């Protein structure tokens, strides 16, 4: 049989073998020593001596609300991370459901009144506010509450700040790499004057009759600029290489070339994969090649 258990917004379906106080407590983050259920009639159902809820007291597919004292994780700061070492159960009244009140309950459970800080699972300190007052905040199933000594918390925060600073340095370094790459492309584009001139000339020709015959000079200039080095046909999805500052071939052809070689197929420059870019905006011009270039 199956039973539907819920607490707050959390809802879980369990089978007969799962109806133990230990498992229910673990799922709903309450003490297994104090867990019990209530049915739709608000009748309380407690575990038996073996720690299981008797299925004789339950109705198949019935809905049962889970109750129990809340658990607080006692944590230490280990290598800049919160590591729970044990768990204490705290029982509190509505008027005690504040940061100060919960800290007092934790200290009572520990038998020590050394200063402690309450944090969430990410190590952010939980502060007294309107949002943290009341049992609704402290009994949410999705919220894990950690208690850490004041000294460990200070150490944890220091490590956290160092990691954050390190990430910022890495981001700055990454931005510098981007700036250098942009500058490299800009410099390379200065060598594209011949290609740009050919594009302009080809665009003008493509707007005229498709039957126009080009001069030998025009033909050679256009073919040199827009012929793929690999397949020897008009370039499809042109790829531009910064090493030789020119269009080198079709994207598919260049990809196939780079699968087995690292040198530029035109100038033989090294590290081709980091020096090629897809040139966009030439589709219409290149499409016109098949119509206006007449091979004698």
């Amino acid at each position: 049989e199956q039973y539907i258990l819920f607490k707050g917004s959390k809802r879980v379906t369990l089978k007969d073998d799962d109806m133990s106080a230990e498992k229910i407590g673990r799922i709903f983050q309450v003490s297994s020593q104090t867990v019990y259920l209530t049915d739709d009639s608000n009748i309380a159902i407690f575990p038996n001596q073996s720690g299981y809820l008797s299925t004789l007291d339950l109705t198949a597919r019935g809905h049962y609300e889970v109750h129990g004292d809340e658990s607080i994780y006692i944590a230490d700061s280990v290598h800049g991370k919160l590591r729970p070492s044990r768990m204490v159960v705290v029982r509190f009244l509505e008027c005690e459901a504040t940061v100060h009140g919960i800290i007092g309950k934790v200290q009572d459970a520990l038998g020590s009144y050394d200063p402690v800080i309450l944090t969430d699972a990410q190590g952010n300190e939980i502060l007294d506010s309107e949002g943290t007052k009341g049992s609704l905040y402290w009994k949410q199933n999705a919220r894990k509450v950690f208690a850490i000594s004041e000294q460990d918390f200070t150490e944890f925060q220091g490590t956290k700040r160092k990691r954050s600073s390190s990430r910022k340095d890495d981001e700055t370094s990454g931005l510098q790499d981007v700036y250098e790459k942009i500058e490299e492309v800009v410099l390379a584009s200065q060598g594209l004057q011949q290609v740009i001139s050919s594009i302009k000339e080809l665009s003008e020709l493509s707007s005229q009759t498709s039957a126009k015959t080009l001069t030998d000079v025009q033909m050679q200039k256009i073919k040199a600029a827009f012929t793929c080095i690999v397949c020897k046909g008009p370039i499809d999805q042109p790829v531009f290489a910064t090493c030789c500052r020119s269009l080198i071939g079709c994207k598919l052809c260049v990809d196939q070339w780079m699968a087995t070689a690292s040198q530029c197929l035109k100038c033989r420059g090294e590290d081709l994969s980091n020096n090629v870019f897809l040139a966009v905006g030439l589709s219409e011009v290149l499409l016109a090649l098949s119509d206006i270039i007449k091979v004698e």
Side-chain angles (χ1 to χ4, degrees):
E1 302 292 349
Q2 293 183 328
Y3 311 94
I4 300 168
L5 275 57
F6 66 93
K7 183 174 183 289
S9 60
K10 188 167 189 174
R11 189 173 298 267
V12 176
T13 300
L14 298 179
K15 296 181 179 180
D16 290 345
D17 295 341
D18 299 322
M19 297 297 288
S20 69
E22 182 180 354
K23 185 160 189 174
I24 294 171
R26 188 166 61 250
I27 292 173
F28 291 94
Q29 296 180 21
V30 295
S31 168
S32 61
Q33 303 297 319
T34 61
V35 68
Y36 67 96
L37 309 179
T38 55
D39 61 15
D40 294 337
S41 302
N42 207 30
I43 296 176
I45 304 166
F46 293 89
N48 55 31
Q49 291 183 343
S50 62
Y52 279 81
L53 287 107
S54 174
T55 55
L56 298 176
D57 298 325
L58 304 173
T59 302
R61 303 300 300 176
H63 291 66
Y64 299 92
E65 185 173 3
V66 178
H67 303 269
D69 294 337
E70 301 304 310
S71 301
I72 304 291
Y73 296 88
I74 307 302
D76 302 312
S77 176
V78 181
H79 303 304
K81 295 183 179 180
L82 291 183
R83 295 287 173 82
S85 57
R86 53 182 167 145
M87 186 172 64
V88 296
V89 176
V90 295
R91 182 177 299 175
F92 52 87
L93 302 174
E94 184 67 25
C95 62
E96 298 171 318
T98 64
V99 171
H100 181 73
I102 300 299
I103 287 177
K105 295 292 182 180
V106 171
Q107 290 173 327
D108 288 342
L110 294 175
S112 169
Y113 294 91
D114 292 335
V116 296
I117 303 294
L118 299 182
T119 77
D120 60 17
Q122 285 71 47
N124 301 307
E125 183 178 1
I126 300 174
L127 301 173
D128 251 328
S129 67
E130 287 302 317
T132 59
K133 290 180 180 178
S135 59
L136 183 62
Y137 174 84
W138 299 98
K139 291 186 177 182
Q140 288 186 34
N141 293 298
R143 176 172 289 110
K144 283 188 176 182
V145 178
F146 291 79
I148 182 172
S149 72
E150 197 172 76
Q151 181 179 347
D152 274 4
F153 180 73
T154 301
E155 178 186 327
F156 170 77
Q157 289 293 91
T159 305
K160 191 175 180 181
R161 280 193 292 269
K162 287 180 181 178
R163 286 204 307 267
S164 177
S165 176
S166 176
R167 281 196 297 269
K168 287 180 180 177
D169 290 342
D170 291 342
E171 289 171 1
T172 301
S173 175
L175 284 174
Q176 185 60 39
D177 291 341
V178 172
Y179 292 147
E180 290 176 359
K181 182 61 70 176
I182 291 173
E183 183 178 0
E184 179 182 325
V185 174
V186 170
L187 289 173
S189 68
Q190 295 173 1
L192 278 174
Q193 293 305 316
Q194 182 178 354
V195 175
I196 292 171
S197 176
S198 298
I199 292 173
K200 183 178 180 181
E201 184 175 348
L202 185 57
S203 297
E204 292 173 351
L205 290 171
S206 65
S207 64
Q208 301 173 18
T209 174
S210 61
K212 181 176 179 67
T213 302
L214 304 179
T215 65
D216 290 341
V217 175
Q218 290 174 326
M219 178 73 77
Q220 292 305 318
K221 185 183 293 186
I222 293 172
K223 288 183 68 175
F226 297 104
T227 296
C228 174
I229 296 176
V230 179
C231 68
K232 308 304 181 184
I235 296 177
D236 179 35
Q237 290 186 288
V239 172
F240 172 71
T242 57
C243 50
C244 54
R245 298 185 177 184
S246 62
L247 298 175
I248 57 175
C250 311
K251 181 180 184 303
L252 180 60
C253 295
V254 174
D255 285 345
Q256 291 175 343
W257 171 275
M258 290 192 298
T260 57
S262 61
Q263 294 179 324
C264 175
L265 56 169
K266 185 172 184 178
C267 70
R268 301 302 174 185
E270 296 291 342
D271 198 20
L272 178 63
S273 61
N274 289 321
N275 290 300
V276 291
F277 302 89
L278 189 63
V280 298
L282 303 179
S283 300
E284 292 183 3
V285 173
L286 294 174
L287 185 61
L289 275 174
S290 59
D291 295 328
I292 66 174
I293 295 180
K294 291 184 177 293
V295 180
E296 300 295 338

